[in-house]
């Protein structure tokens, strides 16, 4: 799902687990399809009459999505200079991001500021300095699960928006497969990096509570989890480890494992041509300044 840091799950082996998940899930492709549909008009509107365009990525991971969005921004408003600040807690993923930037020629003229820390540490640092840099576009993609206080985090980052700016939050959709799995087995799953599972339902409730204006765009996605039902399959085992955030065959009793597998097959997925397709739909929420 995401990249943040007070935990160390995005260092070491978990980075590989996350990359393995991305290869199998098609998640970045689905997010980028939505970005390509929604963002050009937003970028043009935000940039109108401005002499610079400042972007903040929070929990940007290895930068695969950021690089594509910055390229899209450049091509949409080619005359406007862009800056990019990146907040990401995993040093390993920041190095991946820097390597991507180094081989993406069009990004060479964008000045990047790297903040290797979690989103809440960045918030503390900004408040301590007192001179808040403001941004035209802030995005938080698949990272809101990892913050301690949802409403405070949204309130803080919303306060960093410039006039006409947008805060984009991408999360798992309410009633999708992730939402069903993590809320049904909350006691077993919300024990480590994620202590309170959140989907688009919780984000929207917080926005409404704060009186913030927003619009929501659906991001359909699904991926094949058929291998998860073959106990001999290494691919299935690795997917289950990622999807539960734990070593699936060690962390849970046989009864819990059976319950999770039954839920994954019957409540979180659809079957097509003998394959089990997990409903991993997402939600893109654009919050107005």
């Amino acid at each position: 799902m995401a990249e943040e840091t007070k935990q160390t799950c995005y260092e070491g082996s978990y980075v590989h687990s996350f990359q393995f998940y991305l290869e199998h899930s098609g998640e970045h492709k689905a997010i980028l399809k939505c970005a390509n549909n929604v963002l050009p008009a937003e970028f043009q509107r935000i940039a109108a009459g401005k002499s610079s365009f400042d972007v903040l990525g929070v929990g940007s991971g290895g930068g695969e999505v950021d690089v594509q969005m910055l390229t899209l921004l450049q091509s949409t408003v080619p005359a406007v200079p862009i800056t990019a600040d990146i907040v990401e807690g995993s040093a390993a993923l920041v190095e991946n991001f820097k390597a991507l930037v180094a081989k993406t020629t069009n990004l060479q003229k964008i000045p990047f500021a790297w903040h290797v820390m979690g989103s809440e540490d960045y918030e503390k640092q900004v408040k301590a300095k007192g001179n808040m840099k403001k941004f035209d576009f802030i995005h938080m993609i698949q990272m809101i699960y990892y913050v301690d206080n949802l409403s405070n985090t949204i309130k803080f980052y919303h306060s960093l928006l410039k006039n006409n700016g947008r805060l984009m939050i991408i999360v798992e959709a309410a009633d999708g497969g992730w939402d069903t799995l993590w809320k049904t087995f909350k006691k077993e799953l919300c024990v480590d990096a994620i202590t309170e599972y959140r989907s688009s339902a919780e984000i929207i409730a917080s926005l409404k509570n704060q009186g913030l204006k927003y619009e929501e765009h659906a991001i359909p996605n699904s991926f094949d989890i058929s291998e998860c039902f073959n106990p001999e399959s290494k691919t299935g085992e690795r997917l289950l480890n990622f999807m539960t955030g734990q070593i699936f065959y060690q962390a849970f009793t046989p009864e819990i494992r059976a319950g999770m597998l039954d839920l994954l097959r019957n409540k979180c997925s659809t079957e097509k041509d003998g394959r089990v397709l997990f409903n991993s739909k997402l939600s893109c929420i654009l919050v107005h300044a």
Side-chain angles (χ1 to χ4, degrees):
M1 282 184 286
E3 309 73 72
E4 252 282 340
T5 39
K6 54 184 192 264
Q7 70 284 5
T8 55
C9 71
Y10 279 91
E11 302 296 342
S13 63
Y14 209 79
V15 171
H16 300 297
S17 179
F18 177 58
Q19 299 295 357
F20 178 79
Y21 164 72
L22 286 177
E23 286 160 23
H24 280 78
S25 67
E27 183 171 290
H28 278 176
K29 192 176 174 184
I31 288 171
L32 287 169
K33 186 178 177 183
C34 174
N36 283 317
N37 288 337
V38 170
L39 290 181
E42 289 291 333
F43 288 158
Q44 284 179 328
R45 190 193 49 72
I46 296 166
K50 291 188 176 174
S51 57
S52 68
F53 198 113
D54 300 310
V55 177
L56 174 63
V58 187
S60 287
E64 297 90 349
V65 174
D66 293 54
V67 163
Q68 299 284 341
M69 288 200 299
L70 287 168
T71 299
L72 179 65
L73 174 58
Q74 273 184 325
S75 63
T76 306
V77 290
V80 184
I82 297 163
T83 74
D85 281 61
I86 306 299
V87 175
E88 167 53 52
S90 163
L93 288 171
V94 169
E95 288 311 307
N96 290 359
F97 195 153
K98 287 179 177 178
L100 258 187
V101 170
K103 60 186 183 191
T104 310
T105 314
N106 58 292
L107 298 186
Q108 304 306 315
K109 57 188 175 193
I110 294 180
F112 280 83
W114 304 97
H115 310 274
V116 186
M117 61 186 74
S119 66
E120 284 156 323
D121 289 328
Y122 177 75
E123 181 180 340
K124 284 178 196 154
Q125 187 185 82
V126 166
K127 286 178 173 173
K129 280 183 181 172
N131 59 336
M132 293 189 189
K133 180 178 177 181
K134 299 281 182 132
F135 299 92
D136 298 286
F137 181 65
I138 301 173
H139 60 82
M140 311 171 86
I141 299 173
Q142 291 291 59
M143 58 67 65
I144 205 81
Y145 318 102
Y146 297 96
V147 302
D148 287 331
N149 189 305
L150 174 64
S151 290
N152 284 356
T153 296
I154 290 173
K155 186 177 181 181
F156 169 71
Y157 284 100
H158 184 263
S159 77
L160 298 186
L161 286 175
K162 285 199 251 177
N163 187 33
N164 287 332
R166 288 288 183 271
L167 166 62
M168 182 176 81
I169 301 172
I170 292 182
V171 289
E172 306 296 349
D175 303 323
W178 288 105
D179 200 33
T180 302
L181 173 65
W182 278 71
K183 285 179 181 166
T184 304
F185 287 95
K186 183 178 190 296
K187 186 164 68 77
E188 291 79 13
L189 298 180
C190 293
V191 294
D192 190 16
I194 295 175
T195 53
E196 180 192 346
Y197 183 75
R198 301 168 182 133
S199 70
S200 58
E202 285 71 34
I203 311 305
I204 285 169
S206 177
L207 294 173
K208 285 181 175 173
N209 192 42
Q210 296 185 50
L212 296 175
K213 188 181 175 187
Y214 69 91
E215 65 248 6
E216 186 178 12
H217 302 270
I219 306 178
N221 195 42
S222 63
F223 65 96
D224 191 335
I225 61 165
S226 307
E227 291 293 310
C228 293
F229 304 97
N230 173 6
E232 305 298 312
S233 168
K234 283 290 166 203
T235 295
E237 185 180 346
R238 289 180 74 182
L239 280 173
L240 287 167
N241 292 350
F242 182 82
M243 292 170 78
T244 60
Q246 296 174 62
I247 307 297
F248 184 76
Y249 286 108
Q250 292 176 18
F252 310 111
T253 64
E255 293 76 16
I256 293 293
R257 291 201 303 267
M260 285 181 180
L261 288 169
D262 180 67
L263 186 83
L264 282 172
R265 184 187 284 276
N266 296 306
K267 296 278 173 64
C268 301
S269 307
T270 53
E271 292 206 32
K272 186 178 180 184
D273 302 327
R275 308 303 292 173
V276 182
L277 303 177
F278 182 76
N279 176 5
S280 57
K281 65 181 178 178
L282 300 123
S283 177
C284 169
I285 301 164
L286 285 172
V287 189
H288 297 220

